[in-house]
Amino acid sequence: MKTRYRDTVAEINLNNLYSNYKEVQKRVGSKKIIPVVKANAYGHGVIKVVEYLHSKGIDYFAVSLLEEALELREIFPTIGILVMGIVDEEGLLIASENNITITMSNLSQIQNINKYTDTYNNVHFDENEKFGFSNSNENISKTEKAVIYQNSTFLDFPENNQKKQDEAEILEKAKNSTNLSKKSEALISIENLKVEQSSISIESLKMEKTLKVHIKIDTGMNRLGYKFDDEINFAFDQLMSNPMIEVEGLFTHFSTADVDKSYYDIQMRRFT
């Protein structure tokens, strides 16, 4: 009996894929390359691709979703896996349990990490901290703000105003929060998602394994990442001081690397 009823197929040459990898390696020298295999390796077949590249000594891969990471972890127990998308709430516990590295890109993640470790009540919130431009710059026009970029001060485009308000509200709520009640639906989700026998304490919902993280800086993609100096410094301070967190890396997303060299250069300057 036929199992395929469509004549169109995509033939993937794994030798060519590895040849492309080696060309990239030549350009970056000894630096580690993390192949991105999200969305079923962009339709190439993620299991076969990872299996082949891993056989060539490649031991770290990136995906978009925690679900994708768990699928890989079940088959490849030793590779490094980075989730580039948002992982929050109980997903943080699932990642730590399964040795999956996550991307830190917003303050609510830090709030949840502190809740799941023993550092929640020790978080320092400065009522005078502000994101973005200081009081002395409040009268600068939006156009002028868009071209000011000295000493790693991030752009203050109009779309960032709501982001700043949201982040400030998160800080205020966390500072005043005393209710850390556990939600039964979160427990159910943890039970359904975990890959192996879990060491998560269901009663206390505490992180018992080190969580590896990469910090994402938004240098102009305007999608995910810490953008403003204050929130970047806050994130670094919180993550580096938490004994349950291992900061593995730092990255950004170049939005026009192949079409607009001038904007790429701007993003690179911001990042470095």
Side-chain angles (χ1 to χ4, degrees):
M1 182 177 178
K2 294 176 66 175
T3 58
R4 183 170 57 84
Y5 298 91
R6 186 179 182 184
D7 293 332
T8 304
V9 298
E11 294 185 358
I12 310 303
N13 189 313
L14 294 175
N15 290 326
N16 289 349
L17 176 66
Y18 183 55
S19 177
N20 292 339
Y21 174 90
K22 289 190 292 185
E23 285 300 316
V24 175
Q25 189 72 73
K26 288 179 183 177
R27 293 174 178 266
V28 301
S30 61
K31 296 180 178 66
K32 191 178 191 69
I33 298 174
I34 302 178
V36 178
V37 293
K38 67 178 184 176
N40 194 28
Y42 295 92
H44 290 64
V46 65
I47 303 303
K48 291 293 185 181
V49 166
V50 172
E51 184 178 61
Y52 182 78
L53 293 179
H54 188 41
S55 73
K56 297 296 184 180
I58 301 167
D59 61 359
Y60 211 132
F61 299 85
V63 294
S64 179
L65 306 173
L66 180 58
E67 292 86 344
E68 295 173 316
L70 290 170
E71 178 186 4
L72 288 181
R73 176 58 74 230
E74 191 168 10
I75 301 172
F76 306 99
T78 62
I79 64 172
I81 306 173
L82 169 65
V83 177
M84 298 184 297
I86 293 290
V87 177
D88 215 342
E89 295 293 339
E90 70 269 20
L92 299 170
L93 300 175
I94 299 300
S96 70
E97 284 297 307
N98 291 282
N99 192 27
I100 292 169
T101 305
I102 71 162
T103 294
M104 299 295 300
S105 59
N106 64 60
L107 293 177
S108 65
Q109 288 176 298
I110 295 177
Q111 182 180 352
N112 284 315
I113 282 178
N114 289 330
K115 179 174 66 175
Y116 292 138
T117 62
D118 294 326
T119 60
Y120 186 83
N121 292 324
N122 297 324
V123 178
H124 170 67
F125 296 93
D126 186 346
E127 295 183 356
N128 296 317
E129 285 181 348
K130 296 182 64 177
F131 297 138
F133 288 80
S134 64
N135 291 332
S136 61
N137 290 324
E138 286 182 346
N139 294 324
I140 298 176
S141 70
K142 288 184 174 64
T143 301
E144 290 173 316
K145 286 184 180 181
V147 297
I148 293 176
Y149 199 90
Q150 301 294 331
N151 299 323
S152 298
T153 301
F154 284 83
L155 299 181
D156 192 21
F157 291 120
E159 61 266 27
N160 294 328
N161 293 337
Q162 185 61 48
K163 174 182 173 64
K164 289 193 290 184
Q165 294 175 10
D166 293 342
E167 301 288 24
E169 288 177 5
I170 289 172
L171 289 177
E172 185 64 24
K173 288 179 180 178
K175 181 182 67 174
N176 295 326
S177 176
T178 57
N179 180 16
L180 301 180
S181 62
K182 307 170 185 63
K183 300 181 180 179
S184 60
E185 58 268 28
L187 303 183
I188 294 172
S189 180
I190 289 174
E191 285 296 309
N192 291 339
L193 276 177
K194 64 184 179 182
V195 173
E196 298 177 348
Q197 182 68 29
S198 174
S199 66
I200 294 174
S201 173
I202 300 300
E203 294 301 320
S204 62
L205 271 181
K206 292 297 182 183
M207 190 177 295
E208 297 182 359
K209 292 184 179 180
T210 300
L211 177 65
K212 298 176 183 177
V213 304
H214 285 209
I215 300 172
K216 185 169 186 178
I217 307 299
D218 184 358
T219 57
M221 185 70 178
N222 293 317
R223 188 180 294 171
L224 296 175
Y226 301 105
K227 182 185 291 286
F228 306 103
D229 285 349
D230 286 342
E231 63 178 350
I232 293 172
N233 292 333
F234 179 83
F236 268 92
D237 289 343
Q238 290 296 304
L239 295 171
M240 295 298 291
S241 63
N242 191 324
M244 297 301 295
I245 301 300
E246 178 184 344
V247 179
E248 257 189 1
L250 177 76
F251 73 101
T252 192
H253 189 163
F254 295 109
S255 60
T256 62
D258 55 345
V259 295
D260 186 347
K261 180 65 163 55
S262 61
Y263 193 68
Y264 164 81
D265 290 338
I266 291 174
Q267 285 191 260
M268 180 59 81
R269 287 197 300 272
R270 295 173 186 168
F271 188 61
T272 57

